[in-house]
Amino acid sequence: MQILVTGGTGYIGSHTVVELLKSGKEVVIVDNLSNSSKNVIDNIEKITNKKCKFYEIDIRDEKGLEKVFEENDIEAVIHFAGLKAVGESVVKPLEYYDNNVIGTIKLLEVMKKFVCKKMVFSSSATVYGDPGNPKYVEDMGRGKASSPYGATKAVIEEMLESLYIADNEWTISLLRYFNPIGAHESGLIGENPNGIPNNLMPYIQKVAIGELKELSIFGDNYNTKDGTCIRDYIHVVDLAVGHMKALQKLNKPGVYIHNLGTGAGTSVLDIVKTFEKVNNIKVNYKFAPRRAGDLPEFFADPSKAKSELDWEAKRGIEEMCRDSWNFISKNRNS
């Protein structure tokens, strides 16, 4: 039996596929390559010395998904496929609802048809909205999302909970994670989005290699230690391991919610300065107006994941910055 990974050539998906293959799982990847490259498959195989099946399919393509399930024996789905940039979602909300929500509905309909009722869903800390406390705990529930991106994640969570109420044979893990950065230590896979990056680290990387002139830091007057936003940055490999742990716990029907983060907040400016220090390279930056949808500060309470999934983040900010540079310096022309 196989694990289906939607968005498996993407940043977090590819690292999770590596962990799955290393653990002995057979993997099937579905991805439309809208923000990734098929070369990722080759690099996954170089890292693991194992092969996985790949289908270039959009998750909104119901017939294409049915073909995947017909040709494979899928036991569970790890669902990453979706648009993910907070700022972009404010400008293009309909694209986000179409891709993320409609795509997930199509996927769930096919899973139901083929009696595959186990899913690990890639959710987000943005579903908490602004609860008034920067330390996010699972029992806070969902708030008013600060962006259409966050709203799509909240809608999908609600949809999955409703699905379980209607059919309690489903086993669903909702992983609310924070800000993934870093790359695999091999430098073969990492975050290298098509076009102008929307997220912090790939933008820093492109400035560091000279592809972009300077980084814009959105807001320098937040009520934080240095005026820039504070986030909980987590190494992507730690995050991938978290998905493995959640998958292993899909043994009893229900809906399970866990934060995946370090539990510590780091400012945008601290990330820039740490990147410069550990890699001995200058990153040009300027301050820009605040970005729509951004909150001043939030970070995870990851204690539930530790007690229930036996998971905790092990890698620090310096390692995240070092691995990010190692990846982009080896792939600057890709």
Side-chain angles (χ1 to χ4, degrees):
M1 300 182 79
Q2 298 125 315
I3 306 300
L4 173 61
V5 181
T6 71
T9 62
Y11 177 43
I12 304 169
S14 61
H15 288 82
T16 301
V17 169
V18 166
E19 296 303 317
L20 288 167
L21 292 171
K22 283 168 55 180
S23 73
K25 294 287 188 181
E26 293 184 34
V27 177
V28 177
I29 293 174
V30 163
D31 203 304
N32 66 3
L33 302 179
S34 65
N35 197 32
S36 58
S37 165
K38 197 173 180 180
N39 293 337
V40 171
I41 302 294
D42 295 332
N43 290 333
I44 287 171
E45 292 177 355
K46 286 177 185 176
I47 292 169
T48 62
N49 291 316
K50 294 181 179 180
K51 292 191 175 294
C52 52
K53 293 182 74 171
F54 172 72
Y55 294 82
E56 187 176 344
I57 294 172
D58 190 294
I59 58 169
R60 292 167 291 185
D61 177 2
E62 197 166 347
K63 293 297 183 185
L65 287 176
E66 287 179 353
K67 180 184 177 185
V68 174
F69 278 81
E70 286 166 357
E71 294 180 357
N72 302 280
D73 187 10
I74 307 295
E75 65 171 303
V77 176
I78 302 181
H79 180 31
F80 293 103
L83 301 175
K84 64 174 187 175
V86 170
E88 182 185 61
S89 76
V90 176
V91 180
K92 302 177 179 179
L94 294 182
E95 291 184 26
Y96 273 70
Y97 281 99
D98 179 38
N99 192 93
N100 296 4
V101 178
I102 301 303
T104 302
I105 290 172
K106 297 296 185 185
L107 173 62
L108 290 168
E109 286 174 342
V110 174
M111 290 176 67
K112 184 177 179 181
K113 179 177 180 178
F114 286 86
V115 198
C116 174
K117 297 183 178 182
K118 291 184 176 183
M119 174 182 277
V120 177
F121 173 58
S122 164
S123 191
S124 165
T126 57
V127 302
Y128 290 108
D130 184 4
N133 184 341
K135 187 176 183 178
Y136 288 1
V137 183
E138 290 88 349
D139 61 12
M140 284 178 170
R142 287 177 291 268
K144 179 174 172 52
S146 59
S147 69
Y149 162 73
T152 66
K153 294 295 188 180
V155 167
I156 294 168
E157 282 197 5
E158 291 173 3
M159 191 165 63
L160 290 168
E161 290 173 344
S162 298
L163 182 60
Y164 172 71
I165 291 170
D167 179 358
N168 58 21
E169 292 182 355
W170 284 82
T171 309
I172 297 164
S173 171
L174 307 179
L175 297 181
R176 295 173 177 170
Y177 44 83
F178 288 66
N179 291 64
I181 59 176
H184 192 269
E185 62 182 2
S186 66
L188 288 170
I189 56 173
E191 187 170 20
N192 193 12
N194 299 330
I196 301 297
N198 286 292
N199 295 329
L200 176 62
M201 185 54 75
Y203 213 111
I204 290 174
Q205 292 170 320
K206 287 183 180 292
V207 172
I209 63 174
E211 189 173 322
L212 294 174
K213 179 182 176 182
E214 61 189 359
L215 167 72
S216 292
I217 297 179
F218 298 103
D220 63 347
N221 59 351
Y222 287 101
N223 186 25
T224 59
K225 66 175 186 175
D226 58 22
T228 65
C229 288
I230 289 176
R231 296 291 182 264
D232 187 337
Y233 296 94
I234 177 173
H235 198 293
V236 66
V237 174
D238 283 332
L239 198 54
V241 172
H243 288 78
M244 276 289 305
K245 295 281 190 176
L247 182 69
Q248 291 165 1
K249 294 290 184 178
L250 291 183
N251 48 26
K252 183 181 179 182
V255 179
Y256 305 95
I257 302 173
H258 295 95
N259 287 336
L260 295 185
T262 65
T266 305
S267 76
V268 172
L269 203 52
D270 276 342
I271 292 290
V272 174
K273 297 299 184 184
T274 301
F275 187 94
E276 289 181 323
K277 183 184 76 172
V278 301
N279 298 312
N280 192 29
I281 192 165
K282 177 66 177 172
V283 176
N284 296 319
Y285 66 88
K286 67 177 181 181
F287 292 110
R290 294 183 181 189
R291 186 172 56 180
D294 276 344
L295 297 175
E297 177 180 11
F298 59 83
F299 52 92
D301 178 346
S303 56
K304 188 180 177 190
K306 184 175 182 179
S307 63
E308 295 184 359
L309 301 181
D310 188 30
W311 174 90
E312 62 181 327
K314 299 183 181 301
R315 296 161 178 84
I317 294 295
E318 290 194 358
E319 190 169 352
M320 298 177 207
C321 290
R322 192 176 294 114
D323 288 344
S324 295
W325 175 244
N326 180 49
F327 168 74
I328 201 64
S329 62
K330 290 179 177 177
N331 296 275
R332 63 179 67 203
N333 296 318
S334 62

